[in-house]
């Protein structure tokens, strides 16, 4: 972990040392998660396991547990005894969290100041993470269910249309594999255009994965 690393945070160049200091000094859980998110993205981009471990410990010290594994048995146990009204309220919170994650993604810019998410096939990255993390019990090849879920979120901004034809073509690409395997399938030797497209898709998927993880989803 090199605390002298410098990367872009909230449109400013900041050192990892400064980001970690702001994380430690944060007064609220939301502020803590915000700084942790920036550092965790950097850890993923640089494959820095030491930084990931540090962030995990720092969040644990503050009483936050974003990496706790989700167990269906525990979820079912928690559902016992809940009223229909409580379940509806929890569902509303869940959908609100998804909306926030995707609204933030749509607002993200690349190095040239243009939207990071900007093409129809970029939905593949989101679908992949939703399947990997079983968001809303999303399963492989259940594209209509995914489209219905996204539609129900009423996103503030959609940079590229989500349609069934484009989404179903994911089966023809490396993005049908779990996100954990993408690194090993980077299209080296197939031209800069394809590599740049992969890098953008990877960043989108990584952003969604990190933000959902920080929310405990």
């Amino acid at each position: 972990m090199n605390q002298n690393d410098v990367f872009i945070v909230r449109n400013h160049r900041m050192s990892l040392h400064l980001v970690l200091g702001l994380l430690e000094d944060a007064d609220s859980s939301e502020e803590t998660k915000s700084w942790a998110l920036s550092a965790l993205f950097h850890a993923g981009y640089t494959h820095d396991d030491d930084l990931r471990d540090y962030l995990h410990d720092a969040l644990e010290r503050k009483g936050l547990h974003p990496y706790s594994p989700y167990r269906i048995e525990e979820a079912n146990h928690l559902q016992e005894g809940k009223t229909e009204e409580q379940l509806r309220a929890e569902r509303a919170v869940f959908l609100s969290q998804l909306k926030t994650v995707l609204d933030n993604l749509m607002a993200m810019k690349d190095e040239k100041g243009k939207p990071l998410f900007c093409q129809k096939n970029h939905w593949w990255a989101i679908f992949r993470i939703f399947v990997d993390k079983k968001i809303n019990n999303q399963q492989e090849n259940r594209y209509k269910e995914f489209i219905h879920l996204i539609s129900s979120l009423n996103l503030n901004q959609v940079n590229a249309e989500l349609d069934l034809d484009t989404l179903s073509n994911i089966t023809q690409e490396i993005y049908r594999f779990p996100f954990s395997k993408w690194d090993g399938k980077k299209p080296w030797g197939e031209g800069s255009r394809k590599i740049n497209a992969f890098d953008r898709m990877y960043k989108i998927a990584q952003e969604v994965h990190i933000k959902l993880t920080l929310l405990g989803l």
Side-chain angles (χ1 to χ4, degrees):
M1 181 172 66
N2 184 359
Q3 294 200 24
N4 292 322
D5 283 353
V6 175
F7 51 101
I8 303 299
V9 181
R10 301 177 184 178
N11 295 321
H12 297 286
R13 291 174 60 83
M14 300 178 68
S15 69
L16 176 59
H17 176 74
L18 177 58
V19 171
L20 295 181
L22 291 168
L23 184 157
E24 294 287 357
D25 294 339
D27 294 326
S28 68
S29 61
E30 289 305 315
E31 186 180 0
T32 300
K33 287 182 180 181
S34 177
W35 292 117
L37 175 63
S38 298
L40 194 57
F41 179 82
H42 181 66
Y45 189 76
T46 58
H47 307 288
D48 191 335
D49 291 334
D50 289 337
L51 178 54
R52 286 194 186 96
D53 291 342
Y54 176 90
L55 292 170
H56 178 276
D57 292 342
L59 291 170
E60 289 281 346
R61 287 196 302 272
K62 285 177 170 271
L64 303 174
H65 311 283
Y67 304 115
S68 298
Y70 179 83
R71 293 185 174 87
I72 294 178
E73 296 85 354
E74 293 178 3
N76 289 337
H77 176 71
L78 289 173
Q79 297 285 30
E80 295 176 3
K82 290 186 178 179
T83 67
E84 185 176 344
E85 184 178 354
Q86 287 174 317
L87 293 175
R88 283 201 302 268
E90 289 182 357
R91 177 69 178 177
V93 170
F94 168 72
L95 294 177
S96 177
Q97 289 175 318
L98 295 186
K99 174 178 169 62
T100 297
V101 169
L102 297 187
D103 277 340
N104 288 340
L105 176 68
M106 293 295 170
M108 288 190 64
K109 306 295 183 182
D110 61 16
E111 302 82 14
K112 297 180 180 179
K114 297 181 179 180
L116 178 66
F117 185 106
C118 58
Q119 297 180 7
K120 284 185 176 183
N121 65 351
H122 289 164
W123 285 106
W124 293 353
I126 299 175
F127 180 81
R128 180 72 262 156
I129 299 303
F130 275 38
V131 171
D132 288 356
K133 296 178 75 65
K134 295 181 171 56
I135 299 298
N136 204 53
N137 295 318
Q138 184 64 54
Q139 299 178 34
E140 298 280 6
N141 304 320
R142 299 290 185 89
Y143 306 119
K144 290 183 178 179
E145 293 175 8
F146 177 75
I147 291 173
H148 176 73
L149 174 62
I150 298 302
S151 177
S152 71
L153 298 179
N154 295 316
L155 300 179
N156 294 334
Q157 176 181 338
V158 177
N159 298 345
E161 181 185 358
L162 172 60
D163 64 70
L164 184 60
D165 288 341
T166 301
L167 191 60
S168 60
N169 280 332
I170 191 174
T171 56
Q172 303 175 16
E173 296 286 343
I174 63 176
Y175 309 109
R176 65 188 174 88
F177 294 96
F179 180 57
S180 60
K181 295 184 178 182
W182 285 16
D183 262 340
K185 297 183 177 295
K186 188 168 183 173
W188 298 109
E190 296 189 33
S192 60
R193 183 175 179 178
K194 195 159 188 177
I195 290 177
N196 289 339
F198 171 88
D199 287 342
R200 182 179 289 264
M201 191 78 79
Y202 190 95
K203 285 183 181 180
I204 291 170
Q206 188 176 52
E207 278 287 342
V208 175
H209 186 278
I210 290 173
K211 289 176 179 177
L212 290 174
T213 299
L214 283 171
L215 289 170
L217 299 176

